[in-house]
């Protein structure tokens, strides 16, 4: 350690000093080897143990999180999510151990609501989803994700439901403290538009993961007889500026990503009540909303798919359900969706989404995650919130499982059938 091996002259000098004693020379060589290893791998540096721990943690996640079911690219061989059901498993591996402290050190959008478990049971991770053949649905593969998504950029566009997915992804990758890079619309647009983007970089594979809030949007003012639907009246939650031609907004709104996930319904279902007025009565607004949604999603997705190298995924996810006094999953039916916050109108928006992508023949992959998520009535936060899942639940991570099997592990040209339009 007394002889830094950085130059050839240093090595020659060291050999000369010990040439008369082979024992001392051997000792010098051993010490020099130790120093060289230390220099190359930085073992003595304080950060080495931290880096080793991160890599070990990732390997442990890869090993512990996957069930014994073999990895497959064609998840249809395993039955997919259609026709499946949840089953309790006390030995189910956990993608992460939820921690309030970690949540507060990583939360998005200045909203610590995800960190409040309230009445969430501690065993919500002990549920696993079985496909229609009774076999465990393959889980999210951390090492596979890092390998396949290395140097990629991924954006999730949507409300707090997609925000929860991004948080779950960050925790599953082992992140315990995050300083999000946040960007917002420029003034004065920000005063009228609710959207913002938060990004992190997973340094181990140089993967950029972002979430951009989107409430509801509109392309124009709608009129019919004496009625007028002016979406801008909603105020908070109006994200229409995402479609703006403003140069400064376009700079903030750059969609230069390899993967873009879109999930947008939650802020739409209750618009009839929000915009209710003598000139736009709730019943008329509710009738008009599927058309407004169709037009706005057409404008947004057309913009996203204009970059040919970007793979756009439209997620059909969950909506609010009756979760009061539910202690386990239940079969899903449209009739069971309550009218709370207009959730019973969700089916119209699901249909409008499918109609849009098919009729316009958009280059969009559809991921239908509804069945396992809508069954998970037991995994919501409680009677005061039957829309969001508890962050310590397997239900929330089911989104990641589906994304891995249907998107991240499958090449774009391998997506076939009605999943790709």
């Amino acid at each position: 350690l007394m002889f830094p091996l950085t130059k050839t002259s240093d090595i020659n000098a060291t050999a000369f000093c010990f040439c008369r004693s082979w024992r001392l020379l051997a000792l010098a060589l051993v010490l020099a080897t130790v120093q060289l290893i230390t220099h190359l791998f930085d073992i003595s540096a304080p950060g080495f143990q931290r880096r080793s721990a991160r890599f070990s943690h990732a390997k442990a996640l890869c090993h512990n999180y996957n069930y014994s079911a073999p990895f497959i690219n064609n998840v249809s061989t395993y039955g997919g999510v259609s026709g499946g059901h949840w089953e309790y498993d006390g030995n189910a591996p956990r993608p992460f151990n939820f921690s309030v402290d970690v949540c507060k050190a990583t939360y998005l959008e200045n909203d610590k609501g995800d960190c409040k478990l309230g009445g969430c049971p501690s065993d919500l991770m002990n549920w696993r989803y079985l496909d229609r053949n009774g076999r465990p649905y393959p889980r999210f593969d951390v090492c596979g994700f890092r390998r396949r998504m290395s140097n990629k950029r991924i954006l999730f566009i949507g409300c707090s439901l997609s925000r929860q997915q991004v948080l779950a992804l960050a925790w599953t990758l082992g992140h315990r403290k995050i300083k999000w890079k946040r960007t917002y619309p420029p003034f004065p647009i920000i005063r009228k538009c609710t959207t913002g983007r938060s990004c992190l970089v997973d340094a181990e594979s140089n993967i950029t993961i972002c979430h951009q809030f989107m409430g509801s949007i509109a392309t124009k003012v709608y009129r019919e007889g004496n009625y007028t639907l002016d979406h801008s009246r909603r105020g908070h939650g109006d994200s229409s500026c995402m479609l703006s031609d403003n140069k400064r907004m376009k700079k903030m709104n750059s969609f230069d990503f390899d993967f873009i996930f879109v999930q947008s319904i939650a802020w739409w279902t209750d618009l009839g009540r929000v915009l209710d007025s003598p000139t736009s009565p709730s019943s008329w607004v509710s009738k008009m909303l599927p058309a407004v949604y169709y037009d706005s999603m057409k404008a947004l997705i057309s913009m996203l798919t204009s970059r040919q190298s970007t793979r756009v995924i439209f997620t059909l996810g969950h909506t609010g359900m009756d979760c009061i006094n539910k202690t386990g999953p239940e079969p899903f039916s449209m009739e069971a969706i309550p009218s709370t916050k207009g959730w019973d109108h969700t089916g119209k928006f699901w249909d409008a989404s499918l109609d849009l992508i098919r009729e316009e023949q958009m280059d969009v992959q559809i991921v239908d995650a509804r069945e396992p998520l809508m069954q998970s009535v037991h995994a919501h936060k409680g009677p005061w919130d039957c829309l969001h899942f508890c962050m310590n639940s397997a239900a929330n991570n089911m989104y990641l499982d589906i994304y891995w099997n249907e998107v991240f592990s499958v090449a774009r040209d391998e997506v076939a059938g009605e999943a790709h339009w």
Side-chain angles (χ1 to χ4, degrees):
L1 295 177
M2 295 171 61
F3 303 95
L5 302 183
T6 55
K7 298 180 180 179
T8 303
S9 58
D10 292 335
I11 298 175
N12 292 335
T14 303
F16 177 79
C17 292
F18 293 104
C19 63
R20 295 184 179 182
S21 174
W22 65 269
R23 292 181 180 177
L24 291 177
L25 176 59
L27 176 61
L29 290 174
V30 170
L31 293 175
T33 301
V34 171
Q35 182 176 349
L36 180 61
I37 293 174
T38 302
H39 175 73
L40 292 176
F41 295 97
D42 198 18
I43 295 176
S44 62
F48 181 84
Q49 294 298 327
R50 294 195 294 271
R51 289 196 294 273
S52 297
R54 288 202 299 270
F55 281 110
S56 298
H57 180 57
K59 292 178 181 178
L61 286 170
C62 292
H63 176 72
N64 293 332
Y65 186 34
N66 288 297
Y67 286 105
S68 58
F71 166 72
I72 48 175
N73 274 333
N74 183 8
V75 75
S76 62
T77 304
Y78 246 55
V81 297
S82 177
H85 67 279
W86 291 95
E87 186 176 274
Y88 189 82
D89 179 3
N91 296 317
R94 300 187 173 204
F96 56 82
N97 290 314
F98 179 84
S99 162
V100 173
D101 291 337
V102 169
C103 185
K104 290 180 178 180
T106 56
Y107 68 89
L108 277 152
E109 298 173 6
N110 297 320
D111 185 352
K112 296 182 181 179
D114 292 326
C115 304
K116 299 176 181 178
L117 293 183
C120 298
S122 60
D123 63 349
L124 288 177
M125 284 285 189
N126 289 26
W127 291 89
R128 62 177 180 175
Y129 193 73
L130 306 183
D131 67 17
R132 59 174 176 266
N133 299 315
R135 292 176 291 191
Y137 186 77
R139 307 299 296 271
F140 182 84
D141 185 332
V142 172
C143 288
F145 174 80
R146 281 201 166 107
R147 183 176 61 254
R148 294 183 68 95
M149 295 298 107
S150 178
N151 300 316
K152 302 294 186 184
R153 291 169 53 80
I154 306 169
L155 172 64
F156 292 80
I157 297 177
C159 63
S160 51
L161 303 186
S162 59
R163 179 190 73 213
Q164 288 193 317
Q165 296 164 34
V166 172
L167 271 180
L169 176 58
W171 297 342
T172 300
L173 293 175
H175 293 272
R176 297 295 176 261
K177 187 175 182 180
I178 302 173
K179 186 175 182 180
W180 296 93
K181 181 180 179 181
R182 307 180 193 274
T183 53
Y184 298 97
F187 286 100
I189 296 176
I190 192 174
R191 296 174 181 171
K192 300 182 292 183
C193 187
T194 311
T195 190
R197 182 180 293 176
S198 302
C199 297
L200 71 88
V201 175
D202 182 68
E204 291 181 21
S205 294
N206 192 35
I207 306 171
T208 300
I209 302 171
C210 301
H211 173 259
Q212 182 161 349
F213 176 84
M214 180 174 67
S216 54
I217 59 181
T219 58
K220 62 182 181 180
V221 175
Y222 292 78
R223 294 181 174 86
E224 185 179 84
N226 296 324
Y227 296 152
T228 300
L229 195 163
D230 183 356
H231 179 268
S232 65
R233 289 182 50 244
R234 87 155 303 152
H236 179 71
D238 179 5
S239 303
S240 300
C241 67
M242 294 179 66
L243 306 175
S244 173
D245 290 330
N246 180 282
K247 291 183 179 180
R248 293 173 65 198
M249 187 63 208
K250 280 188 173 182
K251 184 177 180 180
M252 173 263 170
N253 230 18
S254 170
F255 294 107
D256 181 17
F257 287 85
D258 298 287
F259 294 80
I260 299 180
F261 291 79
V262 180
Q263 183 175 351
S264 171
I265 286 180
W267 280 73
W268 285 86
T269 57
D270 203 27
L271 264 178
R273 180 192 62 80
V274 173
L275 299 179
D276 185 39
S277 73
T279 58
S280 58
S282 176
S283 58
W284 177 74
V285 172
S286 297
K287 183 191 74 171
M288 292 292 294
L289 282 180
V292 180
Y293 178 84
Y294 187 105
D295 293 343
S296 60
M297 287 297 108
K298 179 181 177 180
L300 174 67
I301 295 176
S302 296
M303 180 174 62
L304 300 181
T305 55
S306 63
R307 185 174 178 269
Q308 294 184 353
S309 59
T310 298
R311 186 170 167 184
V312 178
I313 301 94
F314 193 94
T315 301
L316 296 175
H318 72 284
T319 189
M321 291 291 287
D322 177 13
C323 69
I324 300 176
N325 298 323
K326 305 294 184 180
T327 58
E330 294 183 355
F332 159 61
S333 69
M334 293 295 295
E335 293 74 21
I337 301 178
S339 60
T340 308
K341 297 185 178 180
W343 292 336
D344 55 334
H345 296 302
T346 300
K348 299 177 183 178
F349 297 104
W350 283 338
D351 291 344
S353 303
L354 294 172
D355 290 344
L356 167 65
I357 295 171
R358 290 168 178 165
E359 291 171 4
E360 301 296 329
Q361 297 185 345
M362 291 181 157
D363 186 16
V364 173
Q365 179 180 351
I366 301 169
V367 170
D368 191 346
R370 290 175 292 182
E371 194 156 351
L373 279 306
M374 295 296 287
Q375 289 181 25
S376 303
V377 293
H378 66 297
H380 293 287
K381 290 191 172 184
W384 58 91
D385 187 353
C386 288
L387 176 63
H388 297 92
F389 287 125
C390 298
M391 289 303 296
N392 64 333
S393 71
N396 198 49
N397 266 68
M398 187 67 195
Y399 276 110
L400 304 185
D401 297 342
I402 297 173
Y403 294 156
W404 166 249
N405 287 289
E406 298 191 16
V407 181
F408 296 129
S409 68
V410 184
R412 187 174 190 167
D413 57 2
E414 293 176 355
V415 179
E418 292 192 355
H420 195 204
W421 294 88

